[in-house]
Amino acid sequence: MTQHVQDPSAPQSAPNPLRWRILGFLGVAQLMLILDVTVVAIALPNIEADLGLSRQAVTWTVSAYTLTFGGLMLLGGRAADLIGAKRVVLTGLLVFTAASLVTGFAGSAAPLLGGRIAQGVGAALLSPSALSLVVHLFDGEERNKALGVWSALGGGGAALGVLLGGLLTAGPGWPWVFYVNVPIGLIIFVALARMLPAQKVTAPRPGLDVLGALLVTASSAALIYAFIRAGDDGWLTIATGTLVLLAAVGYVAFVARQKTAKSPMMDVALLARRPVATGTFLILMATALMIAVFFLGTFYFQHAEDFNALQTGLLFLPVAIATMLGAHLTGRAIGTAGARLLAVTGLLTAALGMAVPAISMHPATVVVGTAVAGAGTGAMFVVASATALGQVAPHESGIASGIVSTFHEFGASIGAAVISSVAAASLVGDTLSGFTNGFVLAAVAAAVSAAAAAVLTPGRAR
């Protein structure tokens, strides 16, 4: 691909003196996007009761955001490469902040889901362009450290979101899980507008592949809807099979579109590279397992044990600490231990953690098991990012970041949809069998993925 914009954030002879400060603000912005998945998860029972949502609407409250976020991520990453990451970061930040305000005012399912979709649009612009800036600003060993910080914020922030969600829901009320984004978003916008270097466009701006973005988003929506419906209609039904088939056709059409479009969103061949393919697989599994932890844990504590939102949030504090610790230790060890060993270790740790509540469902075992699983997923976030982005060329950093971020959100969407369907019996009834089945499925998926990672993940560079 031809680079049409001179990106001033690209590494120069002297590193940007503000790079660590910029990383801090970009990290907080990314943290806000990740928090908006789990901070909402803790408030779901209250939102469900106040707005009278169905089980499908409850699932879509998570999936509408993550699906739009993931479906348009490639468009956001491509826009960062074509028109400059600074413009895309600031635009996405404004859209996300405004949408958060609107969502907080929602009084029924329609405006709630509409606001979540708008939040997803803003996040899709912000996240890949912010990660592209991180890749440009740092090089060599500094880049690995920066990606470790980025991953720790994402993984640990997801867990902290449950605690924050509990505090806000039990305090001023669930709308504040959205209102809190407004002042934070405005502060970050002002800071980044001042610190990020000015940009100069050196050539006419090519068009963006909007049709490609719509194809991949619609295909993913059909797939997610199939998973959600399966909880009510069954997995082996004509309706479920038709939706899966439509999704497959849509993905094929997307690939064909990328080969014929004048300005494609991505070079499909990028996904054929072993590091990128492995990194996207690992990030998808890490996020799906993380969502399984929060979705099952949140509803178990509040539905089965009748804990309130604040108590539930506090019970997830060990998960937050374990996730950040797993990410931190992996970021320090990946240079010497190598990605393959750490990927397998992280997945096996997650499988072990999920197996604990699957064997014995009790508040203590759920806390211990989810904390162990959190440590494993935290490690996987670092390995996935370092594997997929460690060797990309500067002009590919935006789209590569977009690919990683896309599969991050698709993992969240798929995880929420599948776990919601598997645990449907417990979500709408008084039995614990649905929660048990959900933890069993997550443990098996993590163990199988560990075997796949042992084969797919590149070994330690010599």
Side-chain angles (χ1 to χ4, degrees):
M1 296 181 185
T2 302
Q3 179 74 351
H4 294 276
V5 176
Q6 180 182 353
D7 194 337
S9 58
Q12 305 295 327
S13 55
N16 189 315
L18 297 177
R19 62 191 182 282
W20 289 105
R21 191 176 302 177
I22 293 173
L23 174 64
F25 281 102
L26 290 175
V28 174
Q30 176 70 5
L31 178 63
M32 186 169 60
L33 306 185
I34 301 301
L35 282 174
D36 229 56
V37 178
T38 54
V39 77
V40 171
I42 196 71
L44 280 178
N46 294 75
I47 299 174
E48 176 188 29
D50 286 354
L51 303 185
L53 303 181
S54 64
R55 183 190 68 83
Q56 291 191 5
V58 168
T59 305
W60 276 115
T61 303
V62 175
S63 294
Y65 173 68
T66 55
L67 177 61
T68 310
F69 191 171
L72 298 179
M73 193 83 72
L74 291 175
L75 194 66
R78 179 63 173 151
D81 283 339
L82 294 178
I83 62 177
K86 177 180 179 178
R87 292 184 179 89
V88 182
V89 161
L90 296 179
T91 301
L93 190 56
L94 281 181
V95 172
F96 180 84
T97 302
S100 297
L101 182 63
V102 172
T103 309
F105 282 112
S108 63
L112 176 72
L113 297 181
R116 293 291 279 165
I117 290 172
Q119 282 186 303
V121 172
L125 295 173
L126 172 56
S127 184
S129 51
L131 185 53
S132 174
L133 284 170
V134 173
V135 174
H136 276 291
L137 286 167
F138 297 92
D139 196 17
E141 186 60 30
E142 270 199 347
R143 180 184 289 182
N144 286 334
K145 292 180 180 179
L147 289 174
V149 172
W150 185 267
S151 300
L153 286 171
L160 288 174
V162 183
L163 176 59
L164 179 60
L167 291 170
L168 293 173
T169 303
W174 66 260
W176 281 91
V177 303
F178 302 109
Y179 293 152
V180 71
N181 294 328
V182 178
I184 297 174
L186 292 176
I187 291 172
I188 296 173
F189 179 87
V190 172
L192 291 179
R194 292 173 60 89
M195 287 191 295
L196 291 175
Q199 296 174 306
K200 296 179 180 180
V201 178
T202 58
R205 300 177 185 176
L208 292 173
D209 184 16
V210 177
L211 176 58
L214 293 176
L215 279 173
V216 72
T217 305
S219 302
S220 301
L223 185 63
I224 299 305
Y225 186 43
F227 291 151
I228 293 174
R229 284 196 54 163
D232 297 325
D233 302 338
W235 293 91
L236 300 177
T237 63
I238 294 177
T240 301
T242 301
L243 287 168
V244 172
L245 179 61
L246 286 174
V249 171
Y251 286 131
V252 171
F254 169 74
V255 172
R257 169 67 181 176
Q258 296 314 289
K259 292 182 178 181
T260 59
K262 292 182 178 180
S263 181
M265 288 200 302
M266 63 174 291
D267 180 0
V268 180
L270 193 62
L271 276 174
R273 297 182 192 174
R274 184 180 177 185
V276 177
T278 303
T280 55
F281 165 71
L282 292 176
I283 201 75
L284 184 143
M285 289 306 305
T287 314
L289 292 171
M290 178 191 72
I291 287 298
V293 165
F294 296 129
F295 201 99
L296 292 171
T298 294
F299 278 93
Y300 166 73
F301 288 134
Q302 297 192 53
H303 276 195
E305 298 297 333
D306 202 29
F307 294 150
N308 61 34
L310 179 57
Q311 291 171 322
T312 301
L314 290 172
L315 287 172
F316 270 98
L317 185 57
V319 184
I321 296 172
T323 305
M324 288 188 290
L325 182 61
H328 173 71
L329 294 177
T330 303
R332 293 174 62 91
I334 193 169
T336 54
R340 181 185 297 162
L341 175 62
L342 294 176
V344 173
T345 301
L347 282 163
L348 289 178
T349 302
L352 175 63
M354 295 294 193
V356 172
I359 296 171
S360 173
M361 186 71 65
H362 182 274
T365 57
V366 172
V367 170
V368 172
T370 53
V372 173
T377 56
M380 289 165 61
F381 283 124
V382 177
V383 175
S385 298
T387 301
L389 302 175
Q391 299 179 22
V392 297
H395 71 277
E396 296 175 324
S397 61
I399 192 59
S401 302
I403 291 173
V404 172
S405 301
T406 294
F407 279 84
H408 182 286
E409 299 312 313
F410 282 173
S413 298
I414 293 171
V418 172
I419 288 298
S420 169
S421 293
V422 172
S426 294
L427 296 178
V428 299
D430 297 327
T431 178
L432 294 179
S433 63
F435 295 133
T436 300
N437 292 340
F439 280 115
V440 168
L441 175 64
V444 171
V448 172
S449 298
V455 177
L456 297 174
T457 310
R460 183 173 58 186
R462 296 185 181 274

